Amino acid sequence: MTKLSFFYFSLLFTGLIPFFLHAQNNSGYTFKTSGNPIFRHKYTADPAALVYKDKMYIYAGHDECPAPDNYYRMNEWLVFSSSDMETWTEHAVPLRTSDFEWAKGDAWASQVIERNGKFYWYVTVEHKKGGKSIGVAVADSPIGPFKDARGSALITNDMTQETKISWDDIDPTVFIDTDGQAYLIWGNTQCYMMKLKENMIEGDGPIIPVNLPRYTEAPWIHKHKNLYYLSYASEFPEKIAYATSKNIEGPWEYRGILNELSGNSNTNHQAIVEFKGKWYFIYHNGGADVNGGSFRRSVCIDYLYYNRDGSIKRIQMTSEGVKPIK
Ligand code: FUB
């Protein structure tokens, strides 16, 4: 290769790196994070975490709105995995709104859970008939490929009547209790709960309103030492608040604010999981770069600590993020 052709080759190669990083499908792209936000090559929002075997998986919506526009342009969800919280792999795009034949778009908040070796992904989408709806996709692996498990929405706007808005059926969180009963919790403005059948793709009983003070959206349910925790986005712009109960069906006791406003993002959307002996608070802010904000969000991770009485210490959002697990 002559010096000149080497020069042109290098130019082409280095010029293509950003293209590859922003390409639709970064299957197998592995990188070390250097603090918050942890993913910087794409905007990522509404994180949901799943701990399975040796790894943490983070599922996120992909904020694709170009600056300076400001609207939710979200057509697909992404999945990342790590075994040490420092080295992350982005896998092939596992799910798009177009995988739900009945959906029109809007890859809003979601959560994945495992049952009997299958992975169920509950997602928010806009229904072709109008109104936000919840769908469920299924896969044999945490990284997919996922496919629509029902061929129809699990929750549609006409199934909930507590508010008149068309976007109240968003932001599903899912939980399987120690007795095997699965629950779906979701909602904007009004929080709802419904039992799921063992097949995980059908409701099992009525939709019950869950009353939480200053509730906006983004419920996340987890259990710690026999206490149920229901965290959620409160007011707008959003802080994350939480409530606890000894019974998953309530009543819920409001326990205060867990996370403050997340900088320049109106939304804050959290997930809470234990991984390898530590608890993590996973959320988004608008801090990836100068174009970051409410419609170009980025996933962050900080530690979560409990007090002896079961309450949770206020989250300290940091630039450094969490330490690698040795
Ligand atoms: O990403 C779209 C919506 O913004 C989510 O569904 C809400 O939780 C908020 O983060």
Side-chain angles (χ1 to χ4, degrees), residues 45-46 72 74 108-109 124 170-171 217-218 238 267 269 284 297:
D46 304 324
Y72 291 125
M74 305 178 80
W108 285 17
T124 311
I170 68 168
D171 292 6
E217 58 184 3
E238 298 175 347
T267 61
H269 204 118
H284 63 224
R297 300 163 289 181

Side-chain angles (χ1 to χ4, degrees), residues 27-59:
S27 178
Y29 170 47
T30 295
F31 54 96
K32 281 192 184 209
T33 183
S34 53
N36 285 326
I38 59 166
F39 310 134
R40 286 168 184 265
H41 60 289
K42 283 180 178 175
Y43 294 115
T44 51
D46 304 324
L50 169 74
V51 173
Y52 182 67
K53 294 192 173 164
D54 182 44
K55 289 187 177 156
M56 182 190 289
Y57 294 84
I58 292 186
Y59 302 85

Side-chain angles (χ1 to χ4, degrees), residues 46 72 108 167 170-171 188-189 213-218 232-241 257 259-269 284 293-295 297:
D46 304 324
Y72 291 125
W108 285 17
W167 60 95
I170 68 168
D171 292 6
N188 178 292
T189 317
R214 295 177 291 284
Y215 174 84
T216 303
E217 58 184 3
Y232 57 94
S234 177
E235 303 178 325
F236 202 82
E238 298 175 347
K239 298 160 191 167
I240 304 301
I257 293 168
N259 196 34
E260 296 291 350
L261 299 177
S262 123
N264 60 345
S265 170
N266 282 335
T267 61
N268 194 322
H269 204 118
H284 63 224
S294 295
F295 302 96
R297 300 163 289 181

